[in-house]
């Protein structure tokens, strides 16, 4: 794990026992809201969600950072102060380490805000706007309504017949039942176009009562309708970083090979999971609806605290990517931050050498393809595609040399850095064979 100078994020809560009790209580309370006919299946779904959420906490999905928590609580206090009708006594906002711009409402008082959303926004106002939108999902009981509709579908005569028919198959019974159950699996974060429009409308009502910049409500929606090129648009200096006097950068490392391309479909290269707000329906239509229904005014945005939060996210994003073995995105982030002077040399060199070591080990074990994406010819992500070409094209014999000469070039400056020296020793041994 690459530690930044601020010692990184904390992934383990100090109050795990009380969090477990809280999640159990809100789950139990939600189960009680379903009638007898639906309660058994609702209980099954909600308990499964509870266990999944607890596992996510233990698997370091969320961060517990005092500065970011304080920042969010300040925003929430302003929203609650302006909307005293909201009973927020049972609310808890978790910070998801995902760098996908998103936020979510679970319908039971639990909300999540992704680091990616904090990184995308340019003001407190924009974050507050998204929070108001998610609070509206809770107030409008969208999650409850969706779960009840799911239970009605699951218990319908038609689906029971499908399940029975699959269960009675002579061959492939288990696979057939599994397919049906997968199709029927409930996703708490799926919202229809109608739900999103309603949450936009009520969300703006809540937001309009605050002192936040009204135009920001539309601005953040437009940003969430991002294109691929907006995410990985910063230039990187790949060739210069891996060019050495005794081992020059080879142009064939960036040659395009058809087998490296994913030509099946156009995808979002930033998709580390499936929860991107890009999937929310018809953002341009939603923006138009808000503009038509409201007179948007603009006031001065407050950005000082958010700027510090964004800096903290940038400093720790490399650790997040490396831990997830997203080495292509980690290398992009490293090079782009270094190009902008936003990462210190010690952290940069530790991370680069650790990343090269991982690339070597993954290729040696023939598991490289599991972690590093192929080039997407449909995307506008020039710099990320270049890095993917490089990582896919370099062979074990190349990585041995690249790692060794990179360490040799920086040896004097980092002779007392234990992580760097450990990686240097690793590459020295490889080049002795």
């Amino acid at each position: 794990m690459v530690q930044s100078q601020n010692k990184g994020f904390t992934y383990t809560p100090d109050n795990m026992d009380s969090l477990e009790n809280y999640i159990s209580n809100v789950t139990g309370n939600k189960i009680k809201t379903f009638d007898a006919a639906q309660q058994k299946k609702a209980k099954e779904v909600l308990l499964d969600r509870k266990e999944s959420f607890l596992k996510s906490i233990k698997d370091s999905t969320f961060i517990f950072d005092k500065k970011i928590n304080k920042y969010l609580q300040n925003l929430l206090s302003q929203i609650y102060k302006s909307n005293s009708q909201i009973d927020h006594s049972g609310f808890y906002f978790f910070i998801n380490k995902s760098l996908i711009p998103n936020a979510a409402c679970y319908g039971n008082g639990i909300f999540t805000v992704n680091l990616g959303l904090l990184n995308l926004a340019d003001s407190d106002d924009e974050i507050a706007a998204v929070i108001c939108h998610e609070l509206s999902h809770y107030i409008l009981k969208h999650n409850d309504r969706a779960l009840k509709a799911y239970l009605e579908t699951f218990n319908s005569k038609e689906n029971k017949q499908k399940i029975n028919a699959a269960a009675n198959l002579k061959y492939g019974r288990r696979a057939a039942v599994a397919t049906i159950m997968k199709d029927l699996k409930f996703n708490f974060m799926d919202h229809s176009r109608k739900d999103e429009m309603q949450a936009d409308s009520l969300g703006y009502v809540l937001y309009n009562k605050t002192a936040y910049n009204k135009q920001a409500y539309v601005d953040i929606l437009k940003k969430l309708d991002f294109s691929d090129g907006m995410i990985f648009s910063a230039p990187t200096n790949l060739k210069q970083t891996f060019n050495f006097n005794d081992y020059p950068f080879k142009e064939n490392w960036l040659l395009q090979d058809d087998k490296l391309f994913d030509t099946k479909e156009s995808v979002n290269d930033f998709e580390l999971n499936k929860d991107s707000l890009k999937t929310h329906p018809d953002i341009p239509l939603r923006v138009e609806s808000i503009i038509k229904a409201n007179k948007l005014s603009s006031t001065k945005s407050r950005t000082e605290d958010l700027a510090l939060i964004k800096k903290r996210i940038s400093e720790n994003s490399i650790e997040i990517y490396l831990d997830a073995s997203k080495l292509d995105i980690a290398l992009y982030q490293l090079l782009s931050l270094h190009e902008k002077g936003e990462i210190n040399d010690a952290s940069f060199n530790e991370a680069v050498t650790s990343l090269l070591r991982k690339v070597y080990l993954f290729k040696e074990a023939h598991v490289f393809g599991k972690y590093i994406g192929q080039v997407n010819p449909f995307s506008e992500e020039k710099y990320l595609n270049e890095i993917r070409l490089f990582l896919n094209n370099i062979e074990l014999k190349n990585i041995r040399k690249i790692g060794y000469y990179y360490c040799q070039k920086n040896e004097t400056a980092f002779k007392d850095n234990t992580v760097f020296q450990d990686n240097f020793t690793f590459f020295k041994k490889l080049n002795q064979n």
Side-chain angles (χ1 to χ4, degrees):
M1 181 182 290
V2 178
Q3 293 291 340
S4 64
Q5 56 191 346
N6 59 7
K7 299 184 179 179
F9 287 134
T10 299
Y11 296 94
T12 304
D14 294 332
N15 58 337
M16 188 62 198
D17 288 344
S18 62
L19 276 182
E20 286 183 350
N21 289 334
Y22 164 75
I23 294 168
S24 294
N25 288 337
V26 295
T27 300
N29 291 337
K30 184 58 63 178
I31 291 170
K32 293 174 185 176
T33 65
F34 290 83
D35 59 34
Q38 294 183 326
Q39 198 169 88
K40 182 179 178 182
K41 185 61 184 175
K43 182 177 181 180
E44 181 183 322
V45 172
L46 291 166
L47 288 179
D48 180 67
R49 165 56 67 183
K50 182 191 86 168
E51 293 305 317
S52 176
F53 200 88
L54 288 172
K55 185 177 185 299
S56 293
I57 296 176
K58 292 171 184 175
D59 289 345
S60 301
T61 297
F62 304 104
I63 66 165
F64 298 88
D65 185 271
K66 291 180 180 178
K67 291 182 180 178
I68 298 180
N69 283 337
K70 182 180 179 181
Y71 170 77
L72 268 185
Q73 290 306 316
N74 286 338
L75 295 186
L76 286 166
S77 66
Q78 294 299 315
I79 294 170
Y80 297 149
K81 183 179 178 180
S82 303
N83 292 275
S84 58
Q85 78 280 10
I86 299 176
D87 179 8
H88 58 276
S89 57
F91 289 178
Y92 196 104
F93 279 74
F94 289 84
I95 310 301
N96 193 311
K97 72 178 181 182
S98 171
L99 294 163
I100 304 289
N102 198 11
C105 165
Y106 285 72
N108 55 3
I110 293 175
F111 299 83
T112 58
V113 174
N114 289 7
L115 289 179
L117 178 66
L118 299 174
N119 210 31
L120 179 72
D122 288 318
S123 67
D124 298 355
D125 314 75
E126 291 179 359
I127 301 296
V130 175
I131 290 173
C132 286
H133 175 94
E134 296 304 329
L135 289 171
S136 296
H137 278 305
Y138 177 86
I139 294 168
L140 294 166
K141 300 185 182 298
H142 284 157
N143 301 77
D144 294 358
R145 194 170 65 202
L147 180 50
K148 287 176 181 177
Y150 160 79
L151 295 174
E152 289 172 4
T153 302
F154 185 90
N155 291 319
S156 69
K157 184 178 179 181
E158 179 185 357
N159 276 305
K160 285 183 177 179
Q161 288 174 343
K162 284 183 182 179
I163 294 169
N164 288 335
N168 290 325
L169 289 174
K170 188 173 182 180
Y171 302 106
R173 180 189 312 134
R174 183 174 296 177
V177 172
T179 299
I180 294 171
M181 298 305 288
K182 182 180 178 182
D183 290 341
L184 289 172
K185 187 173 176 62
F186 182 72
N187 186 338
F188 279 78
M189 263 58 75
D190 275 350
H191 293 299
S192 68
R193 176 189 302 175
K194 181 181 177 182
D195 284 352
E196 292 302 336
M197 298 287 274
Q198 287 180 342
D200 282 339
S201 181
L202 178 58
Y204 187 80
V205 170
L206 302 179
Y207 185 75
N208 193 40
K209 292 181 180 180
T210 71
Y212 290 115
N213 173 7
K214 305 306 179 277
Q215 179 63 37
Y217 199 90
V218 165
D219 291 343
I220 189 62
L221 273 179
K222 289 179 178 178
K223 287 176 185 174
L224 291 168
D225 194 32
F226 54 79
S227 67
D228 289 345
M230 288 175 63
I231 300 298
F232 296 106
S233 58
T236 58
N237 209 334
L238 181 69
K239 292 183 181 180
Q240 183 176 325
T241 302
F242 298 114
N243 184 55
F244 315 102
N245 291 333
D246 294 326
Y247 198 66
F249 192 94
K250 303 183 190 318
E251 291 300 325
N252 65 352
W253 291 342
L254 298 182
L255 285 179
Q256 298 177 352
D257 186 339
D258 287 344
K259 69 182 180 181
L260 293 180
F261 284 89
D262 178 4
T263 57
K264 293 179 183 178
E265 60 182 44
S266 175
V267 296
N268 175 8
D269 277 327
F270 196 53
E271 188 178 3
L272 303 186
N273 52 45
K274 299 294 184 182
D275 70 344
S276 171
L277 274 185
K278 176 78 170 182
T279 61
H280 281 196
D282 301 321
I283 285 181
L285 181 63
R286 291 164 55 190
V287 168
E288 183 182 354
S289 176
I290 293 169
I291 292 173
K292 280 184 177 180
N294 303 281
K295 182 179 179 181
L296 303 182
S297 60
S298 181
T299 57
K300 185 177 179 181
S301 299
R302 294 160 296 282
T303 61
E304 293 83 0
D305 290 341
L306 181 58
L308 295 175
I309 296 297
K310 287 159 76 78
K311 184 175 185 293
R312 185 151 168 70
I313 292 169
S314 291
E315 288 171 346
N316 288 278
S317 61
I318 295 156
E319 176 186 318
I320 292 170
Y321 286 131
L322 283 178
D323 285 350
S325 294
K326 298 289 181 181
L327 304 187
D328 47 352
I329 304 177
L331 183 55
Y332 167 84
Q333 186 77 344
L334 272 168
L335 295 177
S336 61
L337 288 177
H338 193 250
E339 189 73 6
K340 292 182 285 187
E342 295 180 4
I343 182 172
N344 65 69
D345 287 342
S347 294
F348 178 72
N349 283 289
E350 280 184 23
V352 169
T353 54
S354 297
L355 186 146
L356 289 172
R357 184 172 178 171
K358 265 194 168 186
V359 171
Y360 183 89
L361 293 172
F362 284 171
K363 290 211 173 194
E364 184 182 47
H366 305 288
V367 295
F368 177 83
K370 286 174 58 179
Y371 300 102
I372 287 77
Q374 294 183 341
V375 176
N376 177 11
F378 300 99
S379 81
E380 303 167 14
E381 296 166 348
K382 170 187 172 183
Y383 300 106
L384 181 61
N385 274 341
E386 186 178 69
I387 284 169
R388 285 179 169 168
L389 278 171
F390 171 71
L391 292 176
N392 275 284
N393 282 334
I394 54 176
E395 301 175 10
L396 287 176
K397 62 182 181 181
N398 305 130
I399 308 169
R400 288 190 196 109
K401 298 292 184 183
I402 292 169
Y404 174 78
Y405 284 109
Y406 184 91
C407 291
Q408 185 186 62
K409 181 180 178 180
N410 295 282
E411 178 183 14
T412 303
F414 299 101
K415 62 182 180 181
D416 298 324
N417 187 301
T418 54
V419 175
F420 180 89
Q421 290 300 325
D422 182 58
N423 289 328
F424 193 11
T425 300
F426 173 81
F427 284 110
K428 280 179 182 176
K429 289 180 179 177
L430 288 180
N431 283 273
Q432 289 171 357
N433 297 333

